[in-house]
C-alpha cells in the first residue's frame, strides 16, 4: 500500500498549506510522482481534480469561520487566497448557494467538504483482466501534440484530436505503416516531467519505417507492460477501466508506474460495436 500512502501524504501536505500558495509540483513531489501522474491518479481516486479539492477545502474552512466567528468577510477572503471580496463571494456562492454575509447570519445549509482520507475497498469489486508483457524498445510513426496540464487542456483537446484524425484520412495513412507486433492504432502519452507541466500525446502505429514525409518518429523504451483488456462501447468502457486500474488494481498489485510512456491500443475497424475490444498498456516496475 506504499502507493496509497504516497497519495495520502500529498493530501496531508495540501491540508497543512491551505493558507499558503500551493504549487502542484510541490504536492506531486510529496507523492513521489510527476505532476501528470499525480493529477491523474488523484482524480481517478476521488472524482475530483486537485485544484477543485483545494478550492472546496478552503471554502469549507472559510464558511466555518464566517459562521462561527466575528471575522470580517474581507479578512477571511484574503486569508483563504482570494484577491478581492468579489471573487471570494462568487466562489462562495457557487459552492454554498448563499453569500458570505448570509453564512455569517446562519441563513441556509452550507456545503462543507471534509479532509480526504484515501481508503481502498475491494470487496465485491469486479477484477480487471490483464497480462504481463516484456517488450523490447520499438519505434512508432505518427503525429504529436503537446498539451498543458493546467486547466485540463489535455483532457479537453485529446478527444478533439482523435475526432479530427478519424475523419481526415490520417488513420488510414498510419495503418499502412503498421508493420510491428502491435496491431492497431496507438494513443501514446509521454509525460514531460514536473518542470514543464505538459505532456506529449501521439497518435501513431508501431512501424519500422525510418522516415516519413507526413509523420514523426517516437521511440518507446523497453518495458515490462501490464496489458489490460477493455471491452465495450467507447468511451465509457475505456474510462471505466482506467478508473479500476488506479482505484483497485494498482493499490494491491505490488507494482509501481515506471514513469515511461503509456499507451491505449485501438483496432483499426472503428468503435461502434458494444463488443469493441481495445487495450491499455501501462509500464511498471
Amino acid at each position: 500500500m506504499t502507493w496509497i500512502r504516497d497519495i495520502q501524504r500529498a493530501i496531508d501536505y495540501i491540508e497543512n498549506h491551505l493558507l499558503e500558495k500551493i504549487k502542484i509540483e510541490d504536492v506531486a513531489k510529496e507523492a513521489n510522482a510527476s505532476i501528470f501522474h499525480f493529477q491523474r491518479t488523484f482524480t481517478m481516486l476521488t472524482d475530483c481534480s486537485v485544484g477543485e479539492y483545494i478550492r472546496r477545502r478552503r471554502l469549507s474552512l472559510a464558511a466555518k469561520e464566517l459562521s462561527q466567528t466575528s471575522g470580517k468577510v474581507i479578512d477571511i477572503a484574503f486569508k483563504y487566497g482570494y484577491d478581492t471580496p468579489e471573487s471570494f463571494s462568487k466562489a462562495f456562492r457557487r459552492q454554498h448557494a448563499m453569500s458570505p454575509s448570509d453564512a455569517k447570519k446562519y441563513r441556509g445549509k452550507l456545503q462543507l467538504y471534509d479532509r480526504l482520507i484515501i481508503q481502498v475497498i475491494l470487496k465485491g469489486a469486479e477484477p480487471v483482466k490483464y497480462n504481463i508483457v516484456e517488450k523490447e524498445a520499438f519505434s512508432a510513426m505518427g503525429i504529436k501534440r503537446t498539451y498543458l496540464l493546467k486547466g485540463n487542456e489535455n483532457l479537453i483537446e485529446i478527444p478533439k484530436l482523435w475526432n479530427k484524425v478519424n475523419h481526415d484520412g490520417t488513420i488510414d495513412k498510419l495503418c499502412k505503416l503498421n508493420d510491428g507486433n502491435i496491431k492497431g492504432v496507438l494513443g501514446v502519452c509521454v509525460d514531460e516531467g514536473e518542470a514543464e507541466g505538459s505532456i506529449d500525446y501521439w497518435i501513431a502505429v508501431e512501424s519500422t519505417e525510418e522516415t516519413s514525409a507526413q509523420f514523426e518518429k517516437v521511440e518507446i523504451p523497453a518495458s515490462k507492460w501490464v496489458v489490460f483488456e477493455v471491452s465495450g462501447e467507447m468511451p465509457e468502457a475505456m474510462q471505466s477501466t482506467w478508473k479500476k486500474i488506479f482505484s483497485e488494481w494498482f493499490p494491491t498489485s505490488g507494482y509501481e508506474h515506471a514513469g515511461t510512456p503509456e499507451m491505449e491500443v485501438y483496432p483499426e475497424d472503428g468503435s461502434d460495436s458494444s463488443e469493441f475490444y481495445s487495450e491499455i498498456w501501462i509500464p511498471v516496475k
Side-chain angles (χ1 to χ4, degrees):
M1 288 291 187
T2 301
W3 188 76
I4 291 297
R5 288 198 297 269
D6 287 344
I7 299 295
Q8 188 62 59
R9 187 169 58 248
I11 292 172
D12 294 341
Y13 177 88
I14 290 172
E15 291 291 333
N16 293 333
H17 295 81
L18 280 173
L19 300 185
E20 305 167 23
K21 185 175 182 180
I22 298 175
K23 295 181 178 180
I24 186 62
E25 54 264 37
D26 293 334
V27 181
K29 191 177 296 182
E30 291 293 317
N32 296 314
S34 69
I35 294 173
F36 170 68
H37 286 299
F38 173 71
Q39 287 183 317
R40 195 255 299 276
T41 302
F42 184 94
T43 301
M44 291 285 186
L45 291 175
T46 67
D47 291 320
C48 174
S49 70
V50 179
E52 183 60 28
Y53 175 72
I54 293 171
R55 283 191 293 273
R56 288 177 179 180
R57 288 292 293 137
R58 284 173 172 166
L59 289 169
S60 295
L61 295 178
K64 288 182 180 179
E65 196 163 332
L66 282 168
S67 62
Q68 297 172 8
T69 74
S70 59
K72 296 180 179 179
V73 172
I74 188 170
D75 293 334
I76 292 175
F78 292 151
K79 178 178 180 179
Y80 288 97
Y82 290 86
D83 296 329
T84 66
E86 291 76 19
S87 62
F88 174 66
S89 180
K90 183 177 180 181
F92 195 93
R93 281 181 179 277
R94 189 182 303 118
Q95 177 161 318
H96 299 291
M98 71 176 77
S99 68
S101 57
D102 284 339
K104 286 187 70 65
K105 300 171 184 176
Y106 305 98
R107 293 178 179 173
K109 187 176 181 180
L110 296 167
Q111 183 67 52
L112 302 177
Y113 292 90
D114 293 329
R115 180 181 188 139
L116 271 178
I117 303 295
I118 298 294
Q119 295 179 326
V120 178
I121 302 174
L122 299 179
K123 185 177 180 180
E126 181 181 344
V128 290
K129 297 179 180 179
Y130 68 92
N131 60 81
I132 307 295
V133 173
E134 297 270 3
K135 185 172 174 59
E136 295 297 321
F138 66 93
S139 300
M141 196 72 73
I143 62 171
K144 178 184 74 171
R145 299 290 185 270
T146 299
Y147 298 113
L148 297 176
L149 302 177
K150 185 176 181 180
N152 292 325
E153 181 187 67
N154 56 310
L155 300 181
I156 297 169
E157 297 300 326
I158 289 175
K160 294 180 183 178
L161 178 62
W162 275 102
N163 185 62
K164 179 179 182 297
V165 300
N166 277 321
H167 289 88
D168 66 5
T170 299
I171 293 298
D172 293 335
K173 294 175 183 177
L174 281 173
C175 289
K176 293 177 181 178
L177 299 175
N178 187 189
D179 59 4
N181 293 325
I182 302 178
K183 301 304 180 184
V185 182
L186 315 178
V188 184
C189 183
V190 182
D191 183 4
E192 284 295 286
E194 294 184 10
E196 292 81 0
S198 65
I199 60 166
D200 285 342
Y201 188 81
W202 292 77
I203 295 178
V205 293
E206 183 175 1
S207 177
T208 58
E209 295 288 332
E210 289 298 323
T211 60
S212 169
Q214 184 175 356
F215 302 114
E216 298 180 74
K217 188 177 181 180
V218 59
E219 299 293 338
I220 309 298
S223 300
K224 175 184 286 186
W225 299 90
V226 185
V227 181
F228 296 91
E229 296 182 12
V230 183
S231 297
E233 293 185 8
M234 294 292 155
E236 292 80 8
M238 184 64 72
Q239 294 168 349
S240 174
T241 304
W242 272 114
K243 187 171 182 64
K244 285 183 179 181
I245 291 168
F246 280 89
S247 63
E248 300 175 13
W249 188 83
F250 258 124
T252 58
S253 68
Y255 287 108
E256 296 180 25
H257 197 295
T260 48
E262 58 190 28
M263 306 182 295
E264 294 173 348
V265 181
Y266 300 95
E268 302 173 7
D269 55 357
S271 59
D272 295 333
S273 170
S274 61
E275 301 301 321
F276 183 75
Y277 176 84
S278 54
E279 296 172 342
I280 294 172
W281 288 50
I282 298 181
V284 296
K285 59 183 179 180

